[in-house]
Amino acid sequence: MDLYGRRQEQAALDRILDGARQGRGATMMLWGDPGIGKTALLDYVAESAAADFTILRCLGTRLESELAFAALHELLWPVTERISTLPQPQAKALNGALGTSDDVSDRFLIGVAVLTLVGELAKERPVLIVADDAQWLDEPSAQCLAFAGRRLRNEAVVMLLTGHDDPVDGPWEKVAAMEVGELGDEDARLLARAVAPRADESVIRRAVRAAAGNPLALQELTTSVAAGDISAHPLADERIAVGPRLRSAFRARIERMSAPARTALLLAAADDRSDRNTMSQAGLVLGLDVGAWDEAMHSGLLATRSDGRVHFRHPLMGAVVYEEAPAADRQTVHRALASVLTGENAEELRAWHLAAAVEAAGRPDEEVARLLEESAQRSWARGGCATAARALRRAAKLSPSTDDAARRLANGARAAWEAGHVDVARRMLDQTEEASSASTVADLSQGLRGLIEFANGDLETACRQLTRDMERVADPGQAFRLGSMALRAAWAAGRGALQREALQRLERRLPQGNFPNADLLPLLRQWWTQEPDGADDRYQAVATVADILTRLSGSSWLLMPPAPLAVAWGIESALQEALRREIDTLRHTDQVTALTQALAQTVAPDIAQGSWTSATANALEGLQVAEGTGDDHLAAQCRAGLGWLAAARGDEQTVADFAARFIEEWVPRGVLVFTAGAEWNLGMTALFAGRAEEALDRLVRLTEHGHHSAHATIAVLAAADTAEAALQAGQRATAEEQARLLRRWAERTGAAWAISATHLVHALLASGADAEKQFRLALDVPGAASRPFNYARTRLLFGEWLRRARRRTDARTQLAEAAEIFRRLDAAPLLARTRAEQELTGQHLRRDSAPARDTTAILTPQELRVARLAAQGLTNREIGAQLLISPRTVGHHLANVFPKLGILSRADLARIDFGDALHLMG
C-alpha cells in the first residue's frame, strides 16, 4: 500500500541513505504511537536500499524481550559466517553472546564486535540495520546496538529503529530521533478510501474522525465501521483515544472467530516468533486441525515471514489476543509450546514458557524455578546480566523454599547491578532480606549492598555497610576485599575517624593470615592509618610495595592504594609499573572494564612523573569507555586528571567546567576526594594566574574541617601550592602550617617529593643563606627530579629568589632549566612566568626559543590515542577493539595522523617519542 502524508519523513530517510552511500553513517529512532506508520516507513527504506545495501533486520517481541541477545541473534543470523573473521577476543565474545559457544562475554566487547563486523561489511557495500519495536528488544541486544549506533558516523552504515516514546533516556538517549505524527485529515481520508474503496462517504468520515490520524486505526476502523462492528455511539463523531477504540476493533474481529481459531491465535500470541513447524506441533498437542489454522491465517491478523515464522501484523493485535484470553487457556498454550520445544538452543525459551504456564496457574514449582535459574546462568555467562536478573527474580517467585528464593534473589540482585540497574538490584536485596537474615543476605550477595552504596550512593553509608558485611560473610578472602572497599570509601569521603574504625574492625575480623593476599594486611594498615605507629613504617612500605603491586591484578586491583594515595606515598613508580604490565596484558583480552580501571588508575602517576601526553591519552581513553559503561567513579577519576592538567596548562574554562560538574555530582554523595581535587585545580589556576588571594581562599578549604572539599591526602599533595599562595597573600602563619603538614608527611613516608617540598616551603619562609640552603636541599633530594613539574617549579622559585638577590647569572641557570621543562610539558602559565623572570635578569631571549606548544596539539585526542597504539604494533582491528571504534575508523584517523606528523607509514610511528611532546627519535 502506498504511503500517505509521509513525504517529509521519506525525504529525510532518503537523505540518510544517500549519506551512507557516500560513507557517512547515521542512527535514528522513529517514534510515535502504536500503528502510526513507523514500520511502513522502515519497509519503504528497506525497499529503497534493497539494490545496493546489505540489510540486517530484527524485531522486538514481548516474549523474546526476556531472552538475552535474542534480537542480536536474529539481526546477525544472515552474516554469522563473517564472525570468524573478527579478531579472536571479539569473535569469542560475539559467539558467546549468540550462544554458539560457551565463551564468557564482556557485554561491551560484544558491542565492539558488532561495530567491527558491520564496519567490515560496509567496506563491501553500505549496510542498513533495521530494528522494529525497539521497546521490546531484549536489553543486552538494545545496549549492544545503542553502543554501535553511537559510533557509526564514519561508517557507511545506517541504523533505523522504531519505538513508542521519545528516546530522552535509556539506551537510545543520545540517538537522533524523528517523531512520526498523525496524518492530516485529507491524507487520512485518502488512506481510508484506499482501504475500503466501496464504503459510503459517511463511513469514511466516521472512521477518519475516530482514528485521529492513526494509519493502523484507519485501516481497522474503516473495515469495522463498514461491517457494522462498531455501533453508533454518542462519541462516534468525536476524536477519541486510538487505544481503546482500536482494541475494541480487534476484540470484535476475534470474537467473530471460532474457538479453535481463537486458540490458534493465542498460540501465535504466546510465542509470536515460532516457525510454522513449531506452531503446527503445538497445535497438534492442543487438537487443532487444518481448518482452525486456515481460519486464523485468513483473519487478517496474522502473517508469515520469509523465514517461515508466524507473527501478528501489529504487536497490538497479539497483545489484545493474549490479554483477553482466560488464564487457563494461556496456561494450556504455554505448556503445549514448551512440550514441543527441543534442542539446546530452545532450553531458555522452554523455561520461559513453563514459567508463564506455572504463573497462570498461580502456584510455585521448583522444577521450573530450577530451569529458569539455569537459563539465567547461561545468559549471565553470555553477558546478558539484565536477562539473568529477570530470570532469577522470576525463579525466586516460583520457588517453594524460602532459602532457594533468597539465594536466587541475591544472585539476581548481583546480575541486575552488573547490568547497571541499581534500583532493581536494591529492590531485589530488599526482597531477599524479607525472606532471610541480613547476615545470610550479605553472604549470598557477597556484600552487594555496600558495593552498590559505594558506587551509587553516600560513601559514609557505604563504609558502614561494607564493614558490617565484612563481618558477616563467611569467606575470609571476600571479607578482606569488602574491608578494603570500606577503607577506600572512608578515605574517598575524607572521614578519618571512620577510616580508623573500619581498619580496626578489619584487623579483628582477620586475625589469621590464611586467605589470599593475607600478607598485604600489614602494608594495608600503613597506607590507611592516618598517623604512623613507628619510625620504621615507611621503610617496610617502600621495600615491599613493588613486590605486592606486581602480584596484584585482576579481581585484586581494589587492594591497591588509590592513585592519589600512591602518589602521596611516593610509590607511584611501583604502581605505574604494575599498571603498565596489567594494561599490556588487558589490551589483548576482552576485559574492557578491567582495562578502564587500570587506565583511570594510571593517570595520576603519569602526571606526577611528567608523562603528560600519556596521562592525557589514558585519561581520554578511560573516560570514553567509562562513559560508555556508565561507571561514574572511573569517569570522574579521568576527569580529575584532565582537570589538573588543564590547570597546569592555563585552561581556566576547562578547569571551571570540570569543577562545577564535580561539585554538582559529588558533594551530595560525599565523595570529598573529587570535590577536593576540584578545589585544588581551581586554586592552582588562580595561583598560576597571579591571583594569590583567590587561590588561598580555595586551597585552605582542603584542611577546613567540615568543608565539602576537605581531604587529608589532597591537602598534603596541594600543600606547596597553599604555602606559596599564603606567602603571596601575606599570610605567613598559614604557610608555616603547610610546612608542618609536609614535614610530618615526609617523616612518615620518606617520600622524596614530600622531603623536597618541605625544604621548598622552608626556603620560601626563610631568608638569606638559610633560604638558599633550603632551595638547594630541595633540589638535591634523591628522586626529587623524577617529578619534573615540581622540580622545575622549585628551580623557578629558586631563580626568582636569586634574581631578587641580584645574582642574575645564577638565576639564569635555574630559570633556563625550569623553562625547558615547562615548555616540554606545555605548562604555559609557569613558562610565561619563567620567561618574564629571565627577561628581568637581563637575558635577551632568541626568537627561536619562544614558547612552543606541545606538538600533540596538532593531533586530535582520538588521533593521538590511535597513533600511540599503532606505534606499539597493534593492528587496526586491535586498536578498534581497545578504543571501541571500528577498524575503518582507525584507518581514517591514521590517514590524518601521517601528514600531520610528517611521516609516510606505520613503521615511522615507532620512531615517534610519545613520552611528552611528539618528535622523531634518531
Side-chain angles (χ1 to χ4, degrees):
M1 184 175 293
D2 294 333
L3 294 181
Y4 293 89
R6 299 302 185 201
R7 288 176 292 277
Q8 290 185 347
E9 291 89 343
Q10 288 172 284
L13 294 170
D14 287 340
R15 287 193 294 272
I16 290 175
L17 290 183
D18 289 340
R21 292 182 177 106
Q22 298 171 27
R24 300 191 306 274
T27 300
M28 178 173 284
M29 167 74 78
L30 309 180
W31 68 279
D33 291 334
I36 203 68
K38 305 181 293 294
T39 300
L41 285 169
L42 292 186
D43 291 339
Y44 165 79
V45 174
E47 183 178 350
S48 301
D52 56 342
F53 276 69
T54 296
I55 302 177
L56 304 174
R57 298 192 71 153
C58 66
L59 172 68
T61 66
R62 176 185 54 80
L63 179 66
E64 291 198 352
S65 67
E66 304 291 346
L67 303 182
F69 296 109
L72 193 64
H73 190 281
E74 180 188 8
L75 184 79
L76 299 182
W77 187 251
V79 293
T80 49
E81 74 281 355
R82 300 290 294 268
I83 295 176
S84 61
T85 66
L86 298 176
Q88 186 178 19
Q90 295 182 26
K92 289 173 60 179
L94 196 48
N95 281 323
L98 300 181
T100 56
S101 76
D102 295 329
D103 292 303
V104 177
S105 307
D106 183 302
R107 59 190 175 122
F108 299 103
L109 190 65
I110 296 167
V112 176
V114 171
L115 184 62
T116 303
L117 180 60
V118 297
E120 292 294 306
L121 292 171
K123 290 180 179 178
E124 302 165 8
R125 58 191 310 199
V127 176
L128 172 63
I129 297 173
V130 175
D132 204 359
D133 280 320
Q135 75 277 359
W136 286 114
L137 294 179
D138 62 277
E139 184 165 340
S141 293
Q143 293 287 353
C144 177
L145 291 179
F147 177 92
R150 293 192 292 268
R151 293 164 172 82
L152 294 178
R153 185 175 58 183
N154 295 317
E155 306 293 336
V157 181
V158 171
M159 183 184 295
L160 297 177
L161 313 107
T162 66
H164 291 169
D165 302 311
D166 188 357
V168 294
D169 54 21
W172 314 109
E173 61 180 331
K174 296 183 180 179
V175 169
M178 178 170 67
E179 182 179 9
V180 181
E182 303 168 356
L183 295 180
D185 285 349
E186 180 59 25
D187 289 313
R189 192 190 68 79
L190 291 173
L191 174 57
R193 177 59 65 189
V195 171
R198 295 183 177 85
D200 293 339
E201 188 60 32
S202 62
V203 171
I204 298 297
R205 187 168 55 253
R206 287 182 63 198
V208 168
R209 177 73 64 178
N214 185 289
L216 179 62
L218 275 165
Q219 296 176 55
E220 299 302 323
L221 295 178
T222 301
T223 303
S224 299
V225 171
D229 291 330
I230 298 181
S231 59
H233 189 280
L235 297 178
D237 290 328
E238 300 296 329
R239 295 175 68 87
I240 61 175
V242 172
R245 180 55 65 92
L246 197 54
R247 283 178 174 271
S248 177
F250 291 149
R251 189 182 302 116
R253 181 179 298 189
I254 295 164
E255 289 173 350
R256 291 201 307 267
M257 301 175 66
S258 67
R262 289 200 299 271
T263 300
L265 288 177
L266 179 56
L267 196 59
D271 184 3
D272 62 355
R273 295 292 296 279
S274 290
D275 56 37
R276 291 291 294 271
N277 183 52
T278 302
M279 288 289 185
S280 297
Q281 290 183 47
L284 290 174
V285 174
L286 296 169
L288 299 181
D289 58 17
V290 174
W293 281 112
D294 286 343
E295 185 181 351
M297 294 305 299
H298 287 90
S299 66
L301 300 177
L302 295 179
T304 304
R305 294 190 181 279
S306 58
D307 61 4
R309 291 188 174 191
V310 177
H311 68 103
F312 282 87
R313 284 198 303 111
H314 192 279
L316 184 57
M317 299 175 180
V320 173
V321 168
Y322 191 83
E323 292 165 8
E324 293 293 320
D329 291 352
R330 292 200 299 268
Q331 178 186 2
T332 301
V333 163
H334 280 298
R335 287 201 178 278
L337 283 164
S339 69
V340 299
L341 287 168
T342 58
E344 183 178 347
N345 293 333
E347 283 301 309
E348 290 183 43
L349 198 56
R350 182 171 177 269
W352 285 103
H353 278 303
L354 288 172
V358 171
E359 287 171 346
R363 57 180 175 77
D365 190 311
E366 175 56 28
E367 177 61 20
V368 175
R370 182 185 60 79
L371 290 174
L372 281 172
E373 186 172 18
E374 292 172 354
S375 171
Q377 291 168 351
R378 289 191 294 270
S379 295
W380 203 339
R382 291 159 54 197
C385 302
T387 302
R390 285 193 292 270
L392 287 164
R393 181 171 52 196
R394 202 166 183 178
K397 185 178 179 181
L398 297 177
S399 301
S401 164
T402 302
D403 291 342
D404 289 335
R407 185 189 73 254
R408 287 160 178 159
L409 282 170
N411 287 331
R414 288 195 68 86
W417 181 54
E418 289 190 19
H421 295 173
V422 178
D423 291 339
V424 174
R426 282 197 176 109
R427 286 197 297 271
M428 293 182 77
L429 282 176
D430 290 341
Q431 292 174 322
T432 310
E433 290 172 353
E434 292 173 4
S436 190
S437 67
S439 296
T440 302
V441 173
D443 203 34
L444 289 173
S445 69
Q446 301 177 54
L448 180 59
R449 180 79 72 181
L451 297 176
I452 290 175
E453 197 66 33
F454 179 90
N456 303 95
D458 176 78
L459 285 186
E460 185 169 350
T461 303
C463 178
R464 298 190 185 283
Q465 182 67 53
L466 286 163
T467 306
R468 283 195 297 269
D469 287 349
M470 169 195 71
E471 295 170 337
R472 291 166 172 166
V473 297
D475 177 27
Q478 181 64 21
F480 192 23
R481 287 188 290 273
L482 292 176
S484 298
M485 288 291 289
L487 288 167
R488 183 178 285 249
W491 170 84
R495 301 290 187 264
L498 191 62
Q499 191 171 314
R500 288 190 295 273
E501 178 189 346
L503 182 59
Q504 291 168 2
R505 293 173 67 173
L506 173 61
E507 291 177 323
R508 286 198 302 268
R509 170 66 177 84
L510 298 171
Q512 305 297 326
N514 56 349
F515 55 91
N517 298 309
D519 57 337
L520 181 58
L521 188 56
L523 186 56
L524 201 70
R525 190 178 196 285
Q526 293 173 46
W527 288 341
W528 296 112
T529 301
Q530 294 286 21
E531 298 297 335
D533 285 344
D536 295 332
D537 277 1
R538 67 186 188 207
Y539 301 113
Q540 183 183 359
V542 174
T544 59
V545 70
D547 175 64
I548 292 290
L549 295 183
T550 297
R551 177 155 47 84
L552 291 177
S553 63
S555 61
S556 302
W557 75 272
L558 285 173
L559 299 178
M560 295 182 182
L565 187 60
V567 170
W569 266 87
I571 56 175
E572 72 275 2
S573 295
L575 177 63
Q576 188 69 325
E577 184 61 30
L579 289 170
R580 282 174 178 160
R581 284 194 297 270
E582 186 75 2
I583 289 171
D584 289 343
T585 300
L586 291 170
R587 287 201 184 280
H588 295 87
T589 72
D590 59 358
Q591 300 178 60
V592 177
T593 302
L595 175 61
T596 310
Q597 292 165 342
L599 288 169
Q601 278 282 87
T602 200
V603 173
D606 269 341
I607 290 175
Q609 295 172 337
S611 300
W612 289 10
T613 300
S614 178
T616 302
N618 287 336
L620 289 171
E621 183 182 349
L623 178 60
Q624 180 189 27
V625 184
E627 288 179 333
T629 61
D631 194 317
D632 293 344
H633 270 264
L634 291 180
Q637 279 185 252
C638 295
R639 289 193 189 97
L642 292 171
W644 192 96
L645 288 167
R649 286 171 165 164
D651 184 354
E652 293 200 31
Q653 187 60 54
T654 297
V655 173
D657 291 344
F658 277 151
R661 180 168 187 167
F662 279 172
I663 298 300
E664 178 183 357
E665 290 185 4
W666 299 108
V667 168
R669 292 164 65 173
V671 189
L672 270 62
V673 69
F674 290 151
T675 52
E679 288 288 356
W680 183 17
N681 295 344
L682 289 167
M684 282 175 56
T685 301
L687 177 61
F688 297 164
R691 304 190 299 272
E693 288 82 2
E694 176 188 337
L696 182 61
D697 181 59
R698 292 193 175 278
L699 292 172
V700 294
R701 298 174 184 176
L702 302 178
T703 54
E704 184 180 324
H705 182 70
H707 195 276
H708 66 247
S709 297
H711 193 276
T713 302
I714 303 301
V716 167
L717 292 171
D721 295 331
T722 309
E724 183 181 349
L727 288 170
Q728 289 185 17
Q731 301 292 326
R732 183 179 178 86
T734 301
E736 290 172 343
E737 290 175 6
Q738 298 303 307
R740 289 191 291 271
L741 175 64
L742 279 168
R743 184 173 63 252
R744 288 195 301 270
W745 189 256
E747 291 172 349
R748 178 184 176 192
T749 65
W753 79 268
I755 297 171
S756 179
T758 302
H759 288 305
L760 173 62
V761 174
H762 282 307
L764 296 176
L765 288 165
S767 59
D770 188 42
E772 180 174 1
K773 175 185 176 182
Q774 292 295 332
F775 275 124
R776 295 198 180 279
L777 285 172
L779 292 172
D780 292 341
V781 172
S786 65
R787 296 194 179 184
F789 180 73
N790 292 355
Y791 199 67
R793 191 165 166 200
T794 301
R795 286 192 179 277
L796 166 60
L797 292 167
F798 189 20
E800 289 175 338
W801 183 87
L802 289 168
R803 195 266 306 165
R804 291 192 296 271
R806 302 185 183 278
R807 295 168 56 182
R808 295 183 176 182
T809 301
D810 292 338
R812 289 173 186 168
T813 300
Q814 299 297 331
L815 295 171
E817 293 284 350
E820 177 58 30
I821 294 174
F822 289 142
R823 182 170 63 169
R824 176 171 61 82
L825 296 176
D826 193 23
L830 292 189
L831 177 60
R833 177 172 157 184
T834 305
R835 291 185 55 76
E837 282 294 321
Q838 287 178 297
E839 291 174 353
L840 288 174
T841 66
Q843 183 177 1
H844 298 289
L845 301 176
R846 295 181 302 176
R847 185 177 297 274
D848 62 1
S849 64
R853 291 191 61 79
D854 187 340
T855 53
T856 56
I858 66 177
L859 301 182
T860 67
Q862 188 74 316
E863 287 170 351
L864 178 59
R865 294 194 288 272
V866 168
R868 290 173 70 245
L869 294 176
Q872 296 173 23
L874 273 66
T875 66
N876 284 11
R877 287 185 178 183
E878 291 170 333
I879 295 170
Q882 298 309 319
L883 300 184
L884 309 185
I885 57 179
S886 73
R888 178 172 175 166
T889 303
V890 173
H892 170 78
H893 287 308
L894 286 175
N896 293 330
V897 166
F898 293 161
K900 286 184 177 183
L901 296 183
I903 59 178
L904 300 176
S905 68
R906 298 172 77 101
D908 292 331
L909 284 172
R911 299 171 53 216
I912 299 293
D913 180 5
F914 287 92
D916 298 293
L918 300 179
H919 63 273
L920 278 170
M921 296 180 289

